Amino acid sequence: MSQTKLSNIETARVTPSLVDVELILRALDAPPELVAEAIALARLAHTEWQGKRVSWRKGLEKRQAELAGLEAEASTLRFFLPSMLTGLLATPEYIRASLGHTPGDISKTVAKKIARQEVLYAEAKQFTFLLTEQAVRWLIVPRHAMAVQIDRIISISQLPHVRIGIIPLTSPVRRGPLNTFTVYDRRLATVETLTGRIVFQDPRDIAEHLDVFELFQRQALFDDEARNTLGQWAAEYRS
């Protein structure tokens, strides 16, 4: 590690990664209890909390601009959606309904969400969406509109650089789907909660989310199997 980097860490101009912290502590032969404490603090320093109420005060359309920036920078994007659809896959009616609980005028946010969908047609990127049956079938909008929404998912799944996996309720999965999360390349992960979102930049947190994503991916239906299942669900709503 260069003297310049050490100096920047010491003067708080640079936040050390977990690897940096481990290297320094190992060189200093630090006691185990200090190592554990310092690593926990370093991990915390690479985690960011973004409260939903703050986003409401700033305007949700600003949050859409941030997401558009993340999507523009990343080349491989992985979305795990256990309860609802992401705006990238949603119809305008679904988007409006999903924002029904949000205070204030949502028209700008709806427009920004729809504009973000353009990124799906950037062929240099790779998208993988894992959807549970609940995420697809939860009645956010009336049944006829849900059929249209499912048709849109089927259509997007035909894009060559977009993979959409469906996890039916009957799939045997040994781990529960706790939170919506997105992983951008291997550098950043965001996790949605009821009151906000957590942003992880620590490589270990990102690696763990990738492991969980891979676990669910192995249980998912893709391609024609996924489209056939989606088509059956759409037909049920139409009937």
Side-chain angles (χ1 to χ4, degrees):
M1 187 180 296
S2 70
Q3 180 59 47
T4 301
K5 184 171 184 178
L6 275 173
S7 176
N8 286 335
I9 291 172
E10 290 171 345
T11 55
R13 288 194 291 270
V14 169
T15 301
S17 69
L18 253 71
V19 174
D20 294 333
V21 172
E22 286 182 340
L23 288 172
I24 293 169
L25 293 173
R26 193 184 308 144
L28 297 173
D29 197 23
E33 62 273 13
L34 179 58
V35 172
E37 182 181 356
I39 287 177
L41 289 170
R43 198 165 194 172
L44 197 60
H46 286 271
T47 303
E48 177 185 348
W49 166 254
Q50 298 176 347
K52 188 170 288 184
R53 290 177 180 83
V54 174
S55 295
W56 286 348
R57 285 197 299 271
K58 289 181 177 179
L60 284 181
E61 67 275 10
K62 292 185 174 63
R63 171 63 182 161
Q64 297 307 307
E66 292 172 9
L67 288 172
L70 286 173
E71 290 156 2
E73 291 173 10
S75 58
T76 303
L77 300 96
R78 300 172 178 88
F79 298 80
F80 178 62
L81 306 165
S83 54
M84 283 181 63
L85 301 178
T86 173
L88 291 181
L89 300 177
T91 62
E93 187 170 356
Y94 188 103
I95 291 172
R96 281 191 292 271
S98 69
L99 293 170
H101 66 288
T102 305
D105 183 11
I106 62 170
S107 57
K108 289 182 180 178
T109 304
V110 172
K112 292 278 189 182
K113 278 180 173 280
I114 293 172
R116 275 178 51 216
Q117 294 175 354
E118 281 293 316
V119 76
L120 287 174
Y121 302 95
E123 295 182 0
K125 298 180 183 293
Q126 293 292 322
F127 295 88
T128 304
F129 298 89
L130 294 184
L131 315 176
T132 66
E133 182 173 341
Q134 173 178 311
V136 177
R137 305 192 68 174
W138 194 264
L139 277 169
I140 300 294
V141 290
R143 297 174 71 89
H144 69 276
M146 283 301 299
V148 174
Q149 172 60 75
I150 295 172
D151 287 343
R152 171 170 167 76
I153 298 171
I154 294 172
S155 176
I156 293 172
S157 74
Q158 304 278 0
L159 294 172
H161 56 285
V162 176
R163 299 183 74 227
I164 293 182
I166 304 299
I167 306 173
L169 290 172
T170 52
S171 293
V173 184
R174 68 176 184 271
R175 186 162 183 172
L178 296 178
N179 296 96
T180 295
F181 66 83
T182 307
V183 182
Y184 301 89
D185 296 325
R186 292 180 174 271
R187 61 184 179 82
L188 187 142
T190 62
V191 178
E192 301 287 334
T193 72
L194 185 64
T195 56
R197 64 192 60 83
I198 307 168
V199 180
F200 294 103
Q201 298 182 68
D202 185 272
R204 297 185 189 186
D205 291 318
I206 295 167
E208 187 161 344
H209 281 88
L210 288 172
D211 288 344
V212 172
F213 192 89
E214 177 60 31
L215 168 67
F216 289 130
Q217 187 170 238
R218 289 197 295 270
Q219 302 301 323
L221 306 177
F222 285 95
D223 303 321
D224 287 341
E225 278 190 302
R227 285 188 280 270
N228 290 338
T229 300
L230 289 166
Q232 292 169 16
W233 294 342
E236 287 179 27
Y237 283 131
R238 286 194 170 90
S239 66

